[in-house]
Amino acid sequence: SGSHHRSSTEIVNDIKTKATYMSNSAGATATGPALEYCRDHIFQTSTGMRANSRRTILLFTDGRSNRGPSPGPVAQQLNQHPYNVAVYALGIGQNINVAELQAITKPRSTTNPLVYFIFQ
């Protein structure tokens, strides 16, 4: 059939690789590119996502993205057809940029509302 379904081990290893890259990025916070990666590589049936599966992103952030495109428009794109991803943003830490969390979770769809929470 030509489609490749990734095993749980492959997915976990991919996340570990990306987390290692993120921890070595010298203070840069690339939330927009991270969401683009999810859009382009994770939420695709060609990479193993089931066509009718529930799609959710749980984003932990201080809302201080400083590299790449703004995360708000990317999150809004994910919330629309054909992706239909529910995005939940959890504000973590001190001095959270609430405006960025609101931009990420600005509702565009009644089917998949976006929500943010703040924990300080």
Side-chain angles (χ1 to χ4, degrees), residues 8-58:
S8 297
T9 302
E10 289 175 305
I11 293 169
V12 168
N13 287 338
D14 193 31
I15 291 170
K16 286 179 181 177
T17 299
K18 300 302 185 261
T20 300
Y21 169 77
M22 290 182 341
S23 67
N24 293 326
S25 61
T29 303
T31 307
L35 292 171
E36 288 178 323
Y37 182 88
C38 290
R39 179 197 64 209
D40 298 340
H41 299 283
I42 295 175
F43 294 110
Q44 298 290 327
T45 55
S46 62
T47 60
M49 185 192 76
R50 293 183 313 267
N52 296 320
S53 65
R54 197 174 174 118
R55 301 165 187 165
T56 303
I57 292 176
L58 182 57

mmCIF file of all heavy atoms in Angstrom, residues 8-58:
data_model
loop_
_atom_site.group_PDB
_atom_site.id
_atom_site.type_symbol
_atom_site.label_atom_id
_atom_site.label_comp_id
_atom_site.label_asym_id
_atom_site.label_seq_id
_atom_site.Cartn_x
_atom_site.Cartn_y
_atom_site.Cartn_z
ATOM 1 N N SER A 8 5.171 3.243 17.870
ATOM 2 C CA SER A 8 5.279 4.095 19.062
ATOM 3 C C SER A 8 6.733 4.393 19.371
ATOM 4 O O SER A 8 7.083 5.508 19.748
ATOM 5 C CB SER A 8 4.618 3.426 20.266
ATOM 6 O OG SER A 8 3.248 3.266 20.041
ATOM 7 N N THR A 9 7.594 3.403 19.204
ATOM 8 C CA THR A 9 9.023 3.596 19.465
ATOM 9 C C THR A 9 9.606 4.647 18.532
ATOM 10 O O THR A 9 10.379 5.504 18.965
ATOM 11 C CB THR A 9 9.784 2.264 19.305
ATOM 12 O OG1 THR A 9 9.221 1.311 20.210
ATOM 13 C CG2 THR A 9 11.261 2.424 19.582
ATOM 14 N N GLU A 10 9.245 4.606 17.247
ATOM 15 C CA GLU A 10 9.737 5.597 16.290
ATOM 16 C C GLU A 10 9.280 6.997 16.672
ATOM 17 O O GLU A 10 10.047 7.953 16.605
ATOM 18 C CB GLU A 10 9.252 5.274 14.879
ATOM 19 C CG GLU A 10 9.897 4.059 14.254
ATOM 20 C CD GLU A 10 9.296 3.729 12.903
ATOM 21 O OE1 GLU A 10 8.056 3.553 12.827
ATOM 22 O OE2 GLU A 10 10.060 3.653 11.937
ATOM 23 N N ILE A 11 8.035 7.123 17.083
ATOM 24 C CA ILE A 11 7.491 8.431 17.468
ATOM 25 C C ILE A 11 8.204 8.960 18.702
ATOM 26 O O ILE A 11 8.614 10.126 18.741
ATOM 27 C CB ILE A 11 5.968 8.333 17.688
ATOM 28 C CG1 ILE A 11 5.276 8.049 16.354
ATOM 29 C CG2 ILE A 11 5.428 9.611 18.320
ATOM 30 C CD1 ILE A 11 3.818 7.663 16.482
ATOM 31 N N VAL A 12 8.377 8.112 19.718
ATOM 32 C CA VAL A 12 9.067 8.537 20.945
ATOM 33 C C VAL A 12 10.502 8.944 20.637
ATOM 34 O O VAL A 12 10.982 9.970 21.126
ATOM 35 C CB VAL A 12 9.012 7.419 22.019
ATOM 36 C CG1 VAL A 12 9.958 7.726 23.168
ATOM 37 C CG2 VAL A 12 7.594 7.248 22.523
ATOM 38 N N ASN A 13 11.192 8.166 19.807
ATOM 39 C CA ASN A 13 12.568 8.519 19.445
ATOM 40 C C ASN A 13 12.628 9.840 18.693
ATOM 41 O O ASN A 13 13.546 10.633 18.897
ATOM 42 C CB ASN A 13 13.214 7.396 18.630
ATOM 43 C CG ASN A 13 13.550 6.196 19.469
ATOM 44 O OD1 ASN A 13 13.693 6.289 20.691
ATOM 45 N ND2 ASN A 13 13.659 5.040 18.832
ATOM 46 N N ASP A 14 11.661 10.094 17.825
ATOM 47 C CA ASP A 14 11.602 11.356 17.098
ATOM 48 C C ASP A 14 11.401 12.520 18.070
ATOM 49 O O ASP A 14 12.055 13.552 17.962
ATOM 50 C CB ASP A 14 10.481 11.315 16.063
ATOM 51 C CG ASP A 14 10.558 12.458 15.074
ATOM 52 O OD1 ASP A 14 11.666 12.924 14.770
ATOM 53 O OD2 ASP A 14 9.487 12.889 14.607
ATOM 54 N N ILE A 15 10.516 12.349 19.035
ATOM 55 C CA ILE A 15 10.277 13.399 20.036
ATOM 56 C C ILE A 15 11.546 13.650 20.849
ATOM 57 O O ILE A 15 11.914 14.804 21.103
ATOM 58 C CB ILE A 15 9.088 13.020 20.942
ATOM 59 C CG1 ILE A 15 7.789 13.080 20.138
ATOM 60 C CG2 ILE A 15 9.016 13.933 22.169
ATOM 61 C CD1 ILE A 15 6.590 12.494 20.845
ATOM 62 N N LYS A 16 12.238 12.587 21.250
ATOM 63 C CA LYS A 16 13.479 12.752 22.010
ATOM 64 C C LYS A 16 14.523 13.515 21.202
ATOM 65 O O LYS A 16 15.219 14.386 21.729
ATOM 66 C CB LYS A 16 14.034 11.385 22.419
ATOM 67 C CG LYS A 16 13.270 10.726 23.535
ATOM 68 C CD LYS A 16 13.882 9.369 23.861
ATOM 69 C CE LYS A 16 13.136 8.665 24.967
ATOM 70 N NZ LYS A 16 13.688 7.322 25.241
ATOM 71 N N THR A 17 14.617 13.206 19.910
ATOM 72 C CA THR A 17 15.565 13.900 19.045
ATOM 73 C C THR A 17 15.228 15.386 18.966
ATOM 74 O O THR A 17 16.105 16.246 19.095
ATOM 75 C CB THR A 17 15.562 13.289 17.630
ATOM 76 O OG1 THR A 17 15.948 11.924 17.729
ATOM 77 C CG2 THR A 17 16.501 14.029 16.697
ATOM 78 N N LYS A 18 13.944 15.687 18.760
ATOM 79 C CA LYS A 18 13.528 17.089 18.670
ATOM 80 C C LYS A 18 13.724 17.808 19.997
ATOM 81 O O LYS A 18 14.110 18.967 20.029
ATOM 82 C CB LYS A 18 12.062 17.195 18.226
ATOM 83 C CG LYS A 18 11.772 16.576 16.881
ATOM 84 C CD LYS A 18 12.608 17.166 15.774
ATOM 85 C CE LYS A 18 12.225 16.624 14.439
ATOM 86 N NZ LYS A 18 13.061 15.560 13.924
ATOM 87 N N ALA A 19 13.445 17.126 21.120
ATOM 88 C CA ALA A 19 13.623 17.742 22.439
ATOM 89 C C ALA A 19 15.088 18.057 22.689
ATOM 90 O O ALA A 19 15.422 19.105 23.256
ATOM 91 C CB ALA A 19 13.067 16.834 23.528
ATOM 92 N N THR A 20 15.992 17.174 22.258
ATOM 93 C CA THR A 20 17.425 17.421 22.399
ATOM 94 C C THR A 20 17.815 18.646 21.597
ATOM 95 O O THR A 20 18.551 19.512 22.067
ATOM 96 C CB THR A 20 18.238 16.194 21.938
ATOM 97 O OG1 THR A 20 17.865 15.085 22.740
ATOM 98 C CG2 THR A 20 19.723 16.449 22.052
ATOM 99 N N TYR A 21 17.289 18.759 20.374
ATOM 100 C CA TYR A 21 17.571 19.932 19.544
ATOM 101 C C TYR A 21 17.069 21.192 20.231
ATOM 102 O O TYR A 21 17.766 22.192 20.302
ATOM 103 C CB TYR A 21 16.918 19.791 18.165
ATOM 104 C CG TYR A 21 16.946 21.078 17.379
ATOM 105 C CD1 TYR A 21 18.117 21.505 16.768
ATOM 106 C CD2 TYR A 21 15.819 21.884 17.273
ATOM 107 C CE1 TYR A 21 18.163 22.697 16.072
ATOM 108 C CE2 TYR A 21 15.855 23.074 16.591
ATOM 109 C CZ TYR A 21 17.029 23.480 15.983
ATOM 110 O OH TYR A 21 17.067 24.668 15.302
ATOM 111 N N MET A 22 15.862 21.135 20.783
ATOM 112 C CA MET A 22 15.280 22.313 21.424
ATOM 113 C C MET A 22 16.099 22.725 22.636
ATOM 114 O O MET A 22 16.286 23.906 22.885
ATOM 115 C CB MET A 22 13.827 22.053 21.830
ATOM 116 C CG MET A 22 12.909 21.952 20.640
ATOM 117 S SD MET A 22 11.150 21.689 20.990
ATOM 118 C CE MET A 22 11.070 21.074 22.610
ATOM 119 N N SER A 23 16.621 21.770 23.410
ATOM 120 C CA SER A 23 17.368 22.122 24.608
ATOM 121 C C SER A 23 18.725 22.719 24.261
ATOM 122 O O SER A 23 19.353 23.355 25.094
ATOM 123 C CB SER A 23 17.539 20.897 25.510
ATOM 124 O OG SER A 23 18.376 19.950 24.892
ATOM 125 N N ASN A 24 19.183 22.541 23.027
ATOM 126 C CA ASN A 24 20.472 23.082 22.599
ATOM 127 C C ASN A 24 20.320 24.322 21.717
ATOM 128 O O ASN A 24 21.247 24.699 21.035
ATOM 129 C CB ASN A 24 21.249 22.007 21.828
ATOM 130 C CG ASN A 24 21.647 20.858 22.714
ATOM 131 O OD1 ASN A 24 21.927 21.056 23.880
ATOM 132 N ND2 ASN A 24 21.644 19.661 22.166
ATOM 133 N N SER A 25 19.164 24.969 21.742
ATOM 134 C CA SER A 25 18.936 26.073 20.811
ATOM 135 C C SER A 25 19.273 27.438 21.410
ATOM 136 O O SER A 25 18.822 28.459 20.923
ATOM 137 C CB SER A 25 17.490 26.047 20.318
ATOM 138 O OG SER A 25 16.603 26.195 21.411
ATOM 139 N N ALA A 26 20.055 27.476 22.478
ATOM 140 C CA ALA A 26 20.615 28.708 23.049
ATOM 141 C C ALA A 26 19.552 29.750 23.372
ATOM 142 O O ALA A 26 19.685 30.911 23.032
ATOM 143 C CB ALA A 26 21.678 29.280 22.115
ATOM 144 N N GLY A 27 18.490 29.343 24.021
ATOM 145 C CA GLY A 27 17.489 30.294 24.494
ATOM 146 C C GLY A 27 16.447 30.688 23.476
ATOM 147 O O GLY A 27 15.548 31.454 23.790
ATOM 148 N N ALA A 28 16.538 30.202 22.262
ATOM 149 C CA ALA A 28 15.541 30.534 21.258
ATOM 150 C C ALA A 28 14.285 29.703 21.494
ATOM 151 O O ALA A 28 14.356 28.545 21.873
ATOM 152 C CB ALA A 28 16.086 30.265 19.854
ATOM 153 N N THR A 29 13.134 30.331 21.298
ATOM 154 C CA THR A 29 11.853 29.643 21.431
ATOM 155 C C THR A 29 11.148 29.715 20.086
ATOM 156 O O THR A 29 10.683 30.773 19.680
ATOM 157 C CB THR A 29 10.997 30.287 22.536
ATOM 158 O OG1 THR A 29 11.739 30.273 23.755
ATOM 159 C CG2 THR A 29 9.698 29.533 22.716
ATOM 160 N N ALA A 30 11.078 28.594 19.418
ATOM 161 C CA ALA A 30 10.544 28.536 18.059
ATOM 162 C C ALA A 30 9.180 27.846 18.061
ATOM 163 O O ALA A 30 9.012 26.763 17.499
ATOM 164 C CB ALA A 30 11.530 27.822 17.141
ATOM 165 N N THR A 31 8.192 28.472 18.678
ATOM 166 C CA THR A 31 6.870 27.863 18.787
ATOM 167 C C THR A 31 6.200 27.740 17.420
ATOM 168 O O THR A 31 5.607 26.707 17.105
ATOM 169 C CB THR A 31 5.979 28.668 19.751
ATOM 170 O OG1 THR A 31 6.675 28.825 20.989
ATOM 171 C CG2 THR A 31 4.661 27.981 19.995
ATOM 172 N N GLY A 32 6.269 28.783 16.606
ATOM 173 C CA GLY A 32 5.681 28.726 15.259
ATOM 174 C C GLY A 32 6.250 27.582 14.437
ATOM 175 O O GLY A 32 5.502 26.772 13.879
ATOM 176 N N PRO A 33 7.592 27.470 14.349
ATOM 177 C CA PRO A 33 8.160 26.338 13.610
ATOM 178 C C PRO A 33 7.798 24.976 14.209
ATOM 179 O O PRO A 33 7.621 24.005 13.475
ATOM 180 C CB PRO A 33 9.672 26.587 13.685
ATOM 181 C CG PRO A 33 9.775 28.076 13.764
ATOM 182 C CD PRO A 33 8.607 28.483 14.648
ATOM 183 N N ALA A 34 7.648 24.891 15.531
ATOM 184 C CA ALA A 34 7.239 23.626 16.151
ATOM 185 C C ALA A 34 5.835 23.243 15.701
ATOM 186 O O ALA A 34 5.563 22.080 15.380
ATOM 187 C CB ALA A 34 7.303 23.735 17.671
ATOM 188 N N LEU A 35 4.937 24.231 15.651
ATOM 189 C CA LEU A 35 3.581 23.962 15.174
ATOM 190 C C LEU A 35 3.575 23.607 13.686
ATOM 191 O O LEU A 35 2.818 22.735 13.248
ATOM 192 C CB LEU A 35 2.671 25.155 15.454
ATOM 193 C CG LEU A 35 2.373 25.427 16.928
ATOM 194 C CD1 LEU A 35 1.651 26.756 17.097
ATOM 195 C CD2 LEU A 35 1.581 24.294 17.552
ATOM 196 N N GLU A 36 4.432 24.263 12.912
ATOM 197 C CA GLU A 36 4.560 23.918 11.488
ATOM 198 C C GLU A 36 5.045 22.479 11.326
ATOM 199 O O GLU A 36 4.564 21.750 10.452
ATOM 200 C CB GLU A 36 5.541 24.862 10.784
ATOM 201 C CG GLU A 36 5.010 26.241 10.581
ATOM 202 C CD GLU A 36 6.018 27.163 9.918
ATOM 203 O OE1 GLU A 36 7.237 27.063 10.196
ATOM 204 O OE2 GLU A 36 5.584 28.003 9.127
ATOM 205 N N TYR A 37 5.988 22.069 12.175
ATOM 206 C CA TYR A 37 6.475 20.697 12.123
ATOM 207 C C TYR A 37 5.331 19.716 12.376
ATOM 208 O O TYR A 37 5.192 18.718 11.666
ATOM 209 C CB TYR A 37 7.606 20.486 13.138
ATOM 210 C CG TYR A 37 8.160 19.081 13.072
ATOM 211 C CD1 TYR A 37 9.186 18.779 12.189
ATOM 212 C CD2 TYR A 37 7.633 18.064 13.850
ATOM 213 C CE1 TYR A 37 9.677 17.488 12.090
ATOM 214 C CE2 TYR A 37 8.116 16.770 13.755
ATOM 215 C CZ TYR A 37 9.136 16.489 12.876
ATOM 216 O OH TYR A 37 9.613 15.206 12.774
ATOM 217 N N CYS A 38 4.515 20.022 13.381
ATOM 218 C CA CYS A 38 3.353 19.163 13.667
ATOM 219 C C CYS A 38 2.430 19.093 12.461
ATOM 220 O O CYS A 38 1.965 18.016 12.080
ATOM 221 C CB CYS A 38 2.586 19.694 14.880
ATOM 222 S SG CYS A 38 3.450 19.500 16.434
ATOM 223 N N ARG A 39 2.174 20.253 11.857
ATOM 224 C CA ARG A 39 1.291 20.310 10.687
ATOM 225 C C ARG A 39 1.843 19.489 9.528
ATOM 226 O O ARG A 39 1.126 18.718 8.895
ATOM 227 C CB ARG A 39 1.121 21.767 10.265
ATOM 228 C CG ARG A 39 0.233 21.969 9.042
ATOM 229 C CD ARG A 39 0.417 23.347 8.422
ATOM 230 N NE ARG A 39 1.778 23.478 7.914
ATOM 231 C CZ ARG A 39 2.427 24.634 7.827
ATOM 232 N NH1 ARG A 39 1.864 25.755 8.220
ATOM 233 N NH2 ARG A 39 3.651 24.678 7.352
ATOM 234 N N ASP A 40 3.136 19.642 9.267
ATOM 235 C CA ASP A 40 3.737 19.055 8.069
ATOM 236 C C ASP A 40 4.173 17.604 8.223
ATOM 237 O O ASP A 40 4.278 16.885 7.234
ATOM 238 C CB ASP A 40 4.938 19.888 7.632
ATOM 239 C CG ASP A 40 4.556 21.311 7.249
ATOM 240 O OD1 ASP A 40 3.363 21.560 6.961
ATOM 241 O OD2 ASP A 40 5.456 22.177 7.258
ATOM 242 N N HIS A 41 4.431 17.165 9.475
ATOM 243 C CA HIS A 41 5.013 15.842 9.667
ATOM 244 C C HIS A 41 4.217 14.913 10.580
ATOM 245 O O HIS A 41 4.354 13.701 10.463
ATOM 246 C CB HIS A 41 6.441 15.963 10.206
ATOM 247 C CG HIS A 41 7.346 16.702 9.288
ATOM 248 N ND1 HIS A 41 7.878 16.142 8.144
ATOM 249 C CD2 HIS A 41 7.782 17.985 9.310
ATOM 250 C CE1 HIS A 41 8.615 17.037 7.517
ATOM 251 N NE2 HIS A 41 8.580 18.165 8.200
ATOM 252 N N ILE A 42 3.453 15.447 11.487
ATOM 253 C CA ILE A 42 2.743 14.588 12.429
ATOM 254 C C ILE A 42 1.290 14.403 12.024
ATOM 255 O O ILE A 42 0.794 13.288 11.981
ATOM 256 C CB ILE A 42 2.859 15.139 13.864
ATOM 257 C CG1 ILE A 42 4.336 15.075 14.294
ATOM 258 C CG2 ILE A 42 1.964 14.355 14.823
ATOM 259 C CD1 ILE A 42 4.637 15.693 15.623
ATOM 260 N N PHE A 43 0.606 15.485 11.685
ATOM 261 C CA PHE A 43 -0.812 15.398 11.341
ATOM 262 C C PHE A 43 -1.003 15.126 9.858
ATOM 263 O O PHE A 43 -1.713 15.838 9.160
ATOM 264 C CB PHE A 43 -1.548 16.665 11.795
ATOM 265 C CG PHE A 43 -1.566 16.803 13.285
ATOM 266 C CD1 PHE A 43 -0.825 17.777 13.921
ATOM 267 C CD2 PHE A 43 -2.317 15.933 14.063
ATOM 268 C CE1 PHE A 43 -0.843 17.891 15.297
ATOM 269 C CE2 PHE A 43 -2.338 16.040 15.443
ATOM 270 C CZ PHE A 43 -1.592 17.014 16.061
ATOM 271 N N GLN A 44 -0.368 14.050 9.385
ATOM 272 C CA GLN A 44 -0.433 13.639 7.994
ATOM 273 C C GLN A 44 -0.676 12.140 7.929
ATOM 274 O O GLN A 44 0.022 11.371 8.603
ATOM 275 C CB GLN A 44 0.885 13.951 7.269
ATOM 276 C CG GLN A 44 1.251 15.416 7.212
ATOM 277 C CD GLN A 44 0.338 16.188 6.284
ATOM 278 O OE1 GLN A 44 -0.133 15.667 5.280
ATOM 279 N NE2 GLN A 44 0.083 17.437 6.624
ATOM 280 N N THR A 45 -1.641 11.720 7.134
ATOM 281 C CA THR A 45 -1.873 10.282 6.983
ATOM 282 C C THR A 45 -0.669 9.604 6.333
ATOM 283 O O THR A 45 -0.409 8.437 6.592
ATOM 284 C CB THR A 45 -3.145 10.008 6.156
ATOM 285 O OG1 THR A 45 -3.050 10.695 4.904
ATOM 286 C CG2 THR A 45 -4.387 10.453 6.904
ATOM 287 N N SER A 46 0.100 10.347 5.545
ATOM 288 C CA SER A 46 1.274 9.763 4.892
ATOM 289 C C SER A 46 2.367 9.393 5.888
ATOM 290 O O SER A 46 3.249 8.595 5.566
ATOM 291 C CB SER A 46 1.839 10.732 3.850
ATOM 292 O OG SER A 46 2.265 11.932 4.477
ATOM 293 N N THR A 47 2.325 9.953 7.100
ATOM 294 C CA THR A 47 3.323 9.611 8.122
ATOM 295 C C THR A 47 2.739 8.729 9.212
ATOM 296 O O THR A 47 3.355 8.534 10.251
ATOM 297 C CB THR A 47 3.930 10.882 8.751
ATOM 298 O OG1 THR A 47 2.894 11.656 9.353
ATOM 299 C CG2 THR A 47 4.687 11.696 7.727
ATOM 300 N N GLY A 48 1.542 8.207 8.981
ATOM 301 C CA GLY A 48 0.993 7.228 9.901
ATOM 302 C C GLY A 48 -0.211 7.658 10.715
ATOM 303 O O GLY A 48 -0.759 6.864 11.468
ATOM 304 N N MET A 49 -0.650 8.907 10.590
ATOM 305 C CA MET A 49 -1.823 9.328 11.348
ATOM 306 C C MET A 49 -3.067 8.695 10.740
ATOM 307 O O MET A 49 -3.250 8.707 9.525
ATOM 308 C CB MET A 49 -1.966 10.856 11.318
ATOM 309 C CG MET A 49 -3.100 11.344 12.195
ATOM 310 S SD MET A 49 -3.480 13.073 11.908
ATOM 311 C CE MET A 49 -4.359 12.950 10.362
ATOM 312 N N ARG A 50 -3.909 8.128 11.577
ATOM 313 C CA ARG A 50 -5.158 7.551 11.087
ATOM 314 C C ARG A 50 -6.075 8.682 10.621
ATOM 315 O O ARG A 50 -6.196 9.707 11.283
ATOM 316 C CB ARG A 50 -5.831 6.724 12.183
ATOM 317 C CG ARG A 50 -5.023 5.484 12.542
ATOM 318 C CD ARG A 50 -5.735 4.629 13.568
ATOM 319 N NE ARG A 50 -6.264 5.374 14.687
ATOM 320 C CZ ARG A 50 -5.631 5.590 15.835
ATOM 321 N NH1 ARG A 50 -4.415 5.115 16.004
ATOM 322 N NH2 ARG A 50 -6.194 6.270 16.809
ATOM 323 N N ALA A 51 -6.745 8.474 9.515
ATOM 324 C CA ALA A 51 -7.565 9.518 8.898
ATOM 325 C C ALA A 51 -8.664 10.037 9.820
ATOM 326 O O ALA A 51 -8.963 11.221 9.820
ATOM 327 C CB ALA A 51 -8.170 9.001 7.597
ATOM 328 N N ASN A 52 -9.256 9.182 10.612
ATOM 329 C CA ASN A 52 -10.362 9.605 11.479
ATOM 330 C C ASN A 52 -9.966 9.748 12.935
ATOM 331 O O ASN A 52 -10.822 9.759 13.809
ATOM 332 C CB ASN A 52 -11.520 8.603 11.361
ATOM 333 C CG ASN A 52 -12.087 8.606 9.961
ATOM 334 O OD1 ASN A 52 -12.222 9.653 9.345
ATOM 335 N ND2 ASN A 52 -12.398 7.435 9.446
ATOM 336 N N SER A 53 -8.676 9.871 13.209
ATOM 337 C CA SER A 53 -8.223 9.974 14.595
ATOM 338 C C SER A 53 -8.482 11.380 15.151
ATOM 339 O O SER A 53 -8.586 12.351 14.414
ATOM 340 C CB SER A 53 -6.738 9.646 14.702
ATOM 341 O OG SER A 53 -5.972 10.604 14.012
ATOM 342 N N ARG A 54 -8.588 11.446 16.461
ATOM 343 C CA ARG A 54 -8.743 12.726 17.145
ATOM 344 C C ARG A 54 -7.395 13.436 17.124
ATOM 345 O O ARG A 54 -6.357 12.821 17.377
ATOM 346 C CB ARG A 54 -9.173 12.449 18.568
ATOM 347 C CG ARG A 54 -9.739 13.614 19.242
ATOM 348 C CD ARG A 54 -10.276 13.192 20.592
ATOM 349 N NE ARG A 54 -10.682 14.382 21.251
ATOM 350 C CZ ARG A 54 -11.914 14.642 21.632
ATOM 351 N NH1 ARG A 54 -12.838 13.727 21.481
ATOM 352 N NH2 ARG A 54 -12.225 15.779 22.183
ATOM 353 N N ARG A 55 -7.386 14.710 16.842
ATOM 354 C CA ARG A 55 -6.142 15.460 16.666
ATOM 355 C C ARG A 55 -6.056 16.559 17.712
ATOM 356 O O ARG A 55 -6.897 17.462 17.741
ATOM 357 C CB ARG A 55 -6.095 16.048 15.267
ATOM 358 C CG ARG A 55 -6.177 14.970 14.224
ATOM 359 C CD ARG A 55 -6.484 15.503 12.876
ATOM 360 N NE ARG A 55 -6.709 14.375 11.981
ATOM 361 C CZ ARG A 55 -7.265 14.475 10.814
ATOM 362 N NH1 ARG A 55 -7.670 15.644 10.374
ATOM 363 N NH2 ARG A 55 -7.436 13.419 10.068
ATOM 364 N N THR A 56 -5.026 16.495 18.525
ATOM 365 C CA THR A 56 -4.884 17.454 19.614
ATOM 366 C C THR A 56 -3.420 17.826 19.800
ATOM 367 O O THR A 56 -2.547 16.967 19.724
ATOM 368 C CB THR A 56 -5.404 16.840 20.936
ATOM 369 O OG1 THR A 56 -6.751 16.431 20.755
ATOM 370 C CG2 THR A 56 -5.331 17.835 22.071
ATOM 371 N N ILE A 57 -3.190 19.102 20.073
ATOM 372 C CA ILE A 57 -1.870 19.572 20.496
ATOM 373 C C ILE A 57 -2.044 20.173 21.877
ATOM 374 O O ILE A 57 -2.920 21.015 22.090
ATOM 375 C CB ILE A 57 -1.296 20.639 19.545
ATOM 376 C CG1 ILE A 57 -0.956 20.024 18.196
ATOM 377 C CG2 ILE A 57 -0.062 21.307 20.161
ATOM 378 C CD1 ILE A 57 -0.465 21.025 17.167
ATOM 379 N N LEU A 58 -1.202 19.749 22.798
ATOM 380 C CA LEU A 58 -1.133 20.332 24.130
ATOM 381 C C LEU A 58 0.197 21.065 24.189
ATOM 382 O O LEU A 58 1.252 20.445 24.254
ATOM 383 C CB LEU A 58 -1.217 19.237 25.193
ATOM 384 C CG LEU A 58 -1.216 19.682 26.632
ATOM 385 C CD1 LEU A 58 -2.360 20.652 26.912
ATOM 386 C CD2 LEU A 58 -1.331 18.470 27.544
#
